[in-house]
């Protein structure tokens, strides 16, 4: 928990004030039975009204001090815990923004969401309790034992037998509980994953009539979470009756021995009452230990999960500190081999080709041929195993990450839009873009006419992930988002699949005025023919490069692709 606790450093003053007030409450709480014993011995037993009033007033003042101290302590404790959680969430978000795709594959979305919400909340609650009662409870036990020995040494010997045994028992519960709550948090991750998949894929689930199957899958994961949670809570909560039983037996022995000493005249009634009060305080404090052990177990499990993310190295720490800029957009892949971190077989193998500045290249190949993987390497979302990628005759590793990615306009295969207006989504590519730039990018992407047909035009709210737009509209908005950057390199990952031939033709014509190199993954020969050259990929290697006519003459695989598409376009004759 070292990394997590370092986030408390900015709040040293507030923590000091909170603990000072905690000690003030503790001292007042420990003095109360002592004063009560004196009042009984010197006032009530001797029928001295003045002494009763004096010590009664002192006890009232102690109670008021404890009350005020508790309120102020709660204020500072809540401030520290809430601010601590705020800083943790901000740090987590920043860390995830720096993750490479390689790291993101290790952390599913569901587990990240759980860490941001459930795990942070567990630690926040524990921090609050640590400032309010977590330190006070064990000190109250220790202080009560010391004060009891001061009042009557013989009568208090029973504490030396029971308290150490109970502390050892609680420590064992804490260790076992931590492991159990680790499993609980993992089950929470899985439940979140199932829930997110169902919400995101609700249309598919309904279309394939898989509601019962998904209900069963969620029920199984939810039941597993409930069982593991019950097991963990039952184990920790079962310690409470054991603690109370031992302390109540101790209390009975104190009363029994105290009664004998009073009869024998070796102790006073006030002393017995004081020790009974200290025993009750000890019982109360030890009963808190179960609750505190439960909270600490969950916080420990959560902190380990959060620290695992926070301790991941930043990918951008490897960036070069220079001012190199991409000016022409010349690209060269030199003997590139790439394997995904969780796989053994290379997805790209000894890949080599070059693209001249301003040239348009169409990438064609079967599913799994490595087209999208190739796109992942240019903006350094992944690093190749071997070989070097050059842009403007410089290795891409020499460019700062920000400069490299700002020079690339990327349109993904599955368009992702964000909550906000249409204008906000287009300006996602260039935050400071003017209204004219937004509209021009939309016109070039062939979406302007559609936008102005909406009642709120560019201020139309886009639902989560663009749920209120069609597939073609989302694709064109994603294209506008890339075009507004005026990038030196444009990458389209099968991004015109939802467009009709006429709209696609207008789009490709509009792109000709952009001074950039363009890579276009497509499955449509009609689209590939418009590119300057076509690269045919097969099983991660370049099978052929050339124009449409050249490949039609020289590549047997390309001929088959063309023939298959021509057959699809033939009219149906009964």
């Amino acid at each position: 928990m070292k990394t997590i606790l370092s986030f408390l450093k900015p709040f040293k003053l507030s923590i000091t004030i909170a603990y000072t007030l905690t000690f003030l409450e503790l001292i007042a709480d420990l003095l109360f039975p002592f004063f009560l014993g004196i009042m009984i011995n010197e006032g009530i037993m001797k029928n001295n009204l003045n002494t009763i009033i004096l010590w009664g007033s002192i006890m009232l003042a102690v109670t008021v001090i404890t009350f005020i101290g508790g309120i102020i302590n709660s204020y500072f404790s809540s401030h520290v815990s809430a601010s601590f959680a705020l800083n943790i969430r901000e740090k987590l978000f920043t860390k995830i923004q720096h993750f490479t795709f390689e790291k993101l594959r290790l952390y599913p979305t569901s587990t990240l969401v759980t860490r941001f919400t459930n795990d942070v909340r567990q630690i926040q609650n524990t921090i609050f309790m640590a400032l309010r009662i977590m330190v006070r409870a064990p000190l109250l036990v220790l202080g009560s034992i010391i004060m009891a020995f001061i009042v009557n040494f013989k009568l208090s010997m029973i504490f030396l037998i029971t308290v150490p045994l109970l502390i050892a028992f609680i420590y064992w519960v804490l260790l076992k509980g931590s492991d159990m709550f680790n499993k609980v948090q993992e089950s929470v991750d899985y439940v979140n994953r199932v829930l997110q998949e169902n919400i995101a894929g609700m249309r598919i689930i309904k279309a394939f009539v898989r509601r019962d199957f998904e209900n069963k899958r969620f029920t199984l994961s939810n039941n597993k979470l409930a069982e593991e949670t019950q097991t963990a809570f039952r184990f920790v909560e079962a310690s409470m009756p054991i603690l109370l039983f031992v302390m109540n037996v101790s209390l009975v022995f104190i009363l029994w021995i105290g009664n004998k000493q009073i009869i024998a005249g070796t102790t006073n009634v006030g002393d017995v009452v004081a020790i009974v009060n200290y025993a009750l305080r000890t019982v109360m404090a030890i009963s808190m230990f179960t609750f505190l052990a439960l909270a600490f177990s969950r916080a420990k499990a959560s902190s380990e999960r959060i620290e695992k993310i926070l301790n991941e190295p930043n990918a951008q720490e490897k960036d070069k500190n220079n001012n190199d800029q991409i000016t022409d957009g010349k690209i060269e892949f030199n003997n590139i081999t790439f394997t995904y971190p969780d796989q053994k077989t290379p997805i790209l193998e000894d890949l080599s080709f070059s693209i001249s500045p301003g040239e348009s290249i169409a990438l064609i190949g079967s599913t799994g041929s490595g087209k999208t993987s190739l796109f992942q390497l240019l903006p350094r979302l992944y690093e190749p195993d071997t070989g070097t990628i050059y842009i403007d005759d410089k290795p891409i590793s020499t460019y700062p990450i920000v400069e490299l990615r700002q020079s690339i306009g990327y349109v993904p295969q599955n368009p992702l839009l964000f909550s906000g207006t249409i204008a906000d989504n287009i300006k996602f590519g260039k935050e400071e873009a003017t209204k004219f730039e937004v509209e021009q990018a939309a016109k070039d992407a062939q979406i302007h006419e559609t936008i102005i047909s909406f009642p709120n035009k560019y201020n139309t709210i886009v639902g989560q992930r663009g749920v209120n737009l069609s597939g073609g509209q989302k694709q064109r908005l994603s294209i506008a988002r890339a075009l507004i950057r005026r990038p030196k390199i444009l990458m389209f990952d099968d991004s015109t699949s939802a467009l009709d031939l006429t709209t696609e033709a207008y789009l490709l014509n509009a792109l000709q005025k952009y001074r950039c190199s363009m890579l276009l993954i497509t499955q449509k020969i009609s689209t590939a023919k418009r590119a300057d050259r076509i690269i045919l990929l097969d099983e991660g290697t370049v099978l052929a490069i050339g124009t449409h006519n050249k490949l039609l003459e020289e590549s047997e695989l390309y001929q088959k692709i063309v023939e298959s598409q021509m057959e699809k376009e033939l009219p149906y004759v009964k």
Side-chain angles (χ1 to χ4, degrees), residues 238-281:
S239 62
M240 174 77 79
I242 297 173
L243 294 172
L244 291 177
F245 174 77
V246 174
M247 286 308 301
N248 285 333
V249 170
S250 302
L251 186 59
V252 170
F253 273 103
I254 289 172
L255 289 171
W256 180 57
I257 296 171
N259 180 60
K260 280 192 168 187
Q261 289 184 356
I262 291 172
I263 294 172
T266 57
T267 190
N268 297 317
V269 175
D271 294 349
V272 175
V273 171
I275 291 175
V276 168
N277 267 267
Y278 285 126
L280 291 172
R281 277 163 168 72

Side-chain angles (χ1 to χ4, degrees), residues 453-501:
S453 69
F454 296 146
N456 294 322
K457 299 180 173 56
Y458 281 86
N459 291 322
T460 300
I461 297 296
V462 175
Q464 189 177 22
R465 301 176 68 91
V467 68
N468 55 337
L469 300 175
S470 69
Q473 290 169 345
K474 287 190 284 188
Q475 278 193 341
R476 284 177 284 166
L477 279 178
S478 296
I479 293 170
R481 182 173 61 195
L483 296 180
I484 201 170
R485 312 186 80 163
R486 292 281 172 173
K488 296 299 179 183
I489 300 171
L490 261 175
M491 300 194 304
F492 294 85
D493 188 355
D494 201 14
S495 310
T496 61
S497 58
L499 305 184
D500 60 78
L501 293 177

Side-chain angles (χ1 to χ4, degrees), residues 22 39 81 131 147 168-169 234 293 312 329 388 405 414 484 558:
T22 295
M39 186 177 73
S81 59
L131 296 173
M147 290 300 294
F169 174 72
R234 283 171 180 170
E312 292 281 3
T388 306
R405 293 176 181 171
N414 299 312
I484 201 170
Y558 189 76

Side-chain angles (χ1 to χ4, degrees), residues 84-142:
F84 165 86
L86 171 70
N87 293 344
I88 286 280
R89 284 192 292 267
E90 288 182 349
K91 184 66 175 178
L92 274 173
F93 189 80
T94 303
K95 173 63 71 171
I96 292 170
Q97 292 292 313
H98 288 163
F99 270 10
T100 61
F101 271 41
E102 178 182 348
K103 291 296 181 186
L104 286 172
R105 287 169 74 97
L106 300 176
Y107 297 98
T109 302
S110 57
T111 187
L112 293 176
V113 171
T114 305
R115 281 165 167 81
F116 267 93
T117 53
N118 189 276
D119 287 330
V120 172
R121 185 168 60 250
Q122 293 294 345
I123 302 173
Q124 178 183 351
N125 293 340
T126 304
I127 293 293
F128 179 80
M129 284 190 291
L131 296 173
R132 279 296 295 135
I133 58 175
M134 196 171 285
V135 172
R136 185 171 181 267
L139 289 178
L140 183 60
V141 172
L142 181 61

Side-chain angles (χ1 to χ4, degrees), residues 519-530:
L519 292 88
L520 175 66
I521 294 175
T522 182
Q523 300 296 336
K524 295 188 288 188
I525 295 298
S526 59
T527 303
K529 288 167 63 175
R530 300 177 64 95

